[in-house]
Amino acid sequence: MKYIPIFLLSAFLSLTGVIAYAQEANYDESKVGSYTLPDALTTLDGRKVASKKMWEKVRRPEILKLFEDNVYGIMPRAKIKTCYRILEEGEAFGGKALRRQVEITFSSKVQTRKMLVLLYMPKGVRKSPVFVSPNFQGNATTTDDPSVIASQFSTFERAHQTSRWPYECIIDSGFAVATFHYFDIYFDKDDKLSETVYPLFGINDNSELKDNTGKAIAAWAWGCSRVLDYLLTQKNIDKRRTIVMGHSRLGKTALWCGAQDKRFAMVVSNNSGCSGAALSRRNYGETVSRINKSFPWWFCNRYQSYNADVSALPVDQHELIALIAPRPVYVASAQEDRWADPYGEFLSLREAGKVYALYGLETLQGNAFSSIGEHLWKGNCGYHIRTGVHDVTDFDWQSYIEFANRHLKQ
Ligand code: GCU
């Protein structure tokens, strides 16, 4: 028998994989099917929510709990000892910014874990607004600044992903930015619960998780809040202008973080897609069943029980966005990122508007998308769909900065 060259075999296997992957997803708007969204403004016992008071006192806590119990899971709430240590500080971008690298050590009786935060702050600004945004590949991959310390679990080369981090523009706009490698909090692999923050809380193995215990997204969101804890101790950071921003799985994270942590004054979801901004009940691109099969370690175990029937989910993603109300929220899509269902992201933001309206804010209306590359901003809800693929671009960042400047009060 002749041997098939390995590279041909692997090319064949990956091609069949790609085909199977593509076949499973629906990209035909006429096949999305009909669905009924849960009503953000009807309580579990059937009462209509007509005031912001009732939203805040009754309905908002209900929805938050439903997301905890059915989608993202509960992050253990035990108090963890936290220490901050400045590992390095210096000037950056020709003296326009101050760079600070802070090691945050979490310790409990059973475990210690460290996260490394890279922070750039504009000089000469008395109180800067700040973006908190986790990165995928490690702090040193986000910049060619040679002083940036490599994150402990990063396997990528320096400056490998700089295009997603236009730090100098952010600084020039008067914003500070803080990032950390998401692996510091939860190694993004199912079998690695021991390599996450969960052992701090005495959870070491999947078998110890309840159906509604959080996993990766809950933990990454927790990590963003821990960075905010530190930032709020800093005099030159403006407490009233803090923004959590994330791309893709970290966009899902940003939404869940902002939904829970009201100290974040604004939330940005960049191409967050399924189980992020996109409506789950739309059969378009990635589905709940598909995401649960590919990434079972992102969500709580109970989320799996909706794989066969997503209509049984007691929430949909417009209600996640609604939890951010009345704070400014920005949802951004990319034209070629059909997997993330751009139209489903838009509809979700539009539906969340019903809660923003309780606060007397203008909201998105109608079925039409914004034109490609144009801003659709109404009240505190911002949306755009830009050209190109699943990514974070300068256009995205510029949009977030401009939106924050308009919507966050100094
Ligand atoms: C996969 C996944 C998405 C996710 C994305 C990412 O494509 O299916 O849900 O948003 O990875 O995080 O890059």
Side-chain angles (χ1 to χ4, degrees):
M1 180 186 142
K2 285 206 180 123
Y3 289 104
I4 303 171
I6 274 291
F7 74 90
L8 272 184
L9 187 65
S10 60
F12 173 75
L13 288 177
S14 58
L15 192 63
T16 49
V18 165
I19 291 168
Y21 202 65
Q23 269 173 353
E24 230 176 284
N26 171 48
Y27 290 123
D28 180 346
E29 197 55 48
S30 71
K31 295 200 179 115
V32 164
S34 60
Y35 55 88
T36 308
L37 292 178
D39 185 2
L41 295 180
T42 302
T43 63
L44 289 176
D45 61 7
R47 285 175 292 152
K48 286 274 167 223
V49 178
S51 68
K52 55 185 185 193
K53 187 166 170 217
M54 190 164 172
W55 165 255
E56 284 168 14
K57 288 248 147 56
V58 184
R59 187 57 177 151
R60 188 181 186 282
E62 273 181 7
I63 295 179
L64 196 59
K65 178 99 178 69
L66 290 172
F67 273 105
E68 278 187 338
D69 285 344
N70 297 283
V71 184
Y72 305 105
I74 300 172
M75 191 64 197
R77 310 211 205 268
K79 193 110 183 83
I80 297 294
K81 195 169 159 243
T82 307
C83 294
Y84 305 123
R85 189 157 73 101
I86 297 177
L87 296 190
E88 191 273 343
E89 208 165 27
E91 286 194 337
F93 309 114
K96 288 190 285 188
L98 181 71
R99 177 191 55 250
R100 184 181 299 156
Q101 301 185 71
V102 185
E103 181 184 73
I104 306 185
T105 305
F106 304 111
S107 38
S108 70
K109 279 190 202 124
V110 279
Q111 184 90 359
T112 297
R113 198 170 170 97
K114 292 181 190 300
M115 95 191 271
L116 180 62
V117 179
L118 167 63
L119 171 62
Y120 287 113
M121 294 175 283
K123 286 212 322 208
V125 179
R126 205 175 63 83
K127 278 196 181 294
S128 337
V130 64
F131 283 99
V132 174
S133 184
N135 67 70
F136 279 86
Q137 299 187 341
N139 294 355
T141 68
T142 66
T143 169
D144 53 15
D145 178 345
S147 304
V148 172
I149 304 166
S151 297
Q152 55 190 326
F153 301 116
S154 175
T155 50
F156 291 90
E157 280 174 24
R158 274 183 178 274
H160 188 254
Q161 207 167 53
T162 52
S163 69
R164 287 188 179 174
W165 299 93
Y167 288 132
E168 197 163 353
C169 298
I170 300 173
I171 289 295
D172 287 343
S173 311
F175 283 66
V177 53
T179 188
F180 63 95
H181 185 207
Y182 77 139
F183 276 30
D184 282 3
I185 299 296
Y186 195 113
F187 204 94
D188 196 3
K189 291 272 183 299
D190 192 19
D191 52 356
K192 301 272 188 185
L193 200 60
S194 57
E195 292 179 35
T196 74
V197 289
Y198 284 91
L200 285 166
F201 303 97
I203 300 173
N204 296 285
D205 187 78
N206 283 324
S207 62
E208 297 164 39
L209 298 172
K210 295 196 184 122
D211 278 357
N212 64 349
T213 311
K215 288 200 230 165
I217 290 183
W220 297 324
W222 179 88
C224 294
S225 289
R226 300 296 70 80
V227 174
L228 184 61
D229 293 343
Y230 171 74
L231 292 171
L232 295 182
T233 66
Q234 300 303 302
K235 278 209 219 71
N236 54 341
I237 293 292
D238 188 346
K239 289 187 184 55
R240 298 193 307 169
R241 291 186 292 157
T242 55
I243 306 152
V244 59
M245 179 274 185
H247 168 63
S248 207
R249 69 199 68 183
L250 297 175
K252 308 180 208 300
T253 298
L255 287 169
W256 180 228
C257 174
Q260 300 171 90
D261 191 340
K262 288 186 185 167
R263 299 172 305 167
F264 278 109
M266 173 173 147
V267 181
V268 180
S269 146
N270 191 89
N271 306 178
S272 65
C274 178
S275 309
L279 290 175
S280 298
R281 279 165 175 74
R282 271 171 57 83
N283 172 28
Y284 190 102
E286 190 173 26
T287 57
V288 167
S289 135
R290 181 67 214 220
I291 205 169
N292 272 326
K293 284 179 189 141
S294 319
F295 306 101
W297 62 94
W298 286 358
F299 307 95
C300 71
N301 288 337
R302 186 169 293 132
Y303 201 36
Q304 301 271 351
S305 66
Y306 302 103
N307 287 353
D309 181 12
V310 76
S311 71
L313 248 178
V315 283
D316 209 312
Q317 298 306 111
H318 62 301
E319 293 173 297
L320 177 68
I321 299 175
L323 290 173
I324 297 161
R327 292 165 290 156
V329 63
Y330 203 120
V331 173
S333 311
Q335 196 180 10
E336 290 170 49
D337 187 17
R338 297 187 308 164
W339 184 238
D341 186 11
Y343 193 49
E345 296 188 308
F346 162 80
L347 291 176
S348 185
L349 179 63
R350 188 195 72 187
E351 287 304 304
K354 291 186 180 141
V355 174
Y356 280 81
L358 287 179
Y359 292 85
L361 290 160
E362 246 196 296
T363 60
L364 304 183
Q365 303 292 329
N367 294 326
F369 258 151
S370 54
S371 318
I372 306 290
E374 272 177 25
H375 294 139
L376 189 58
W377 295 353
K378 280 274 153 45
N380 273 354
C381 297
Y383 180 82
H384 72 240
I385 176 166
R386 57 156 173 79
T387 53
V389 296
H390 188 69
D391 200 357
V392 193
T393 65
D394 289 356
F395 174 79
D396 295 321
W397 275 107
Q398 278 153 12
S399 305
Y400 308 147
I401 289 169
E402 204 181 316
F403 191 75
N405 275 334
R406 284 201 199 179
H407 292 85
L408 296 180
K409 285 195 202 79
Q410 297 214 25

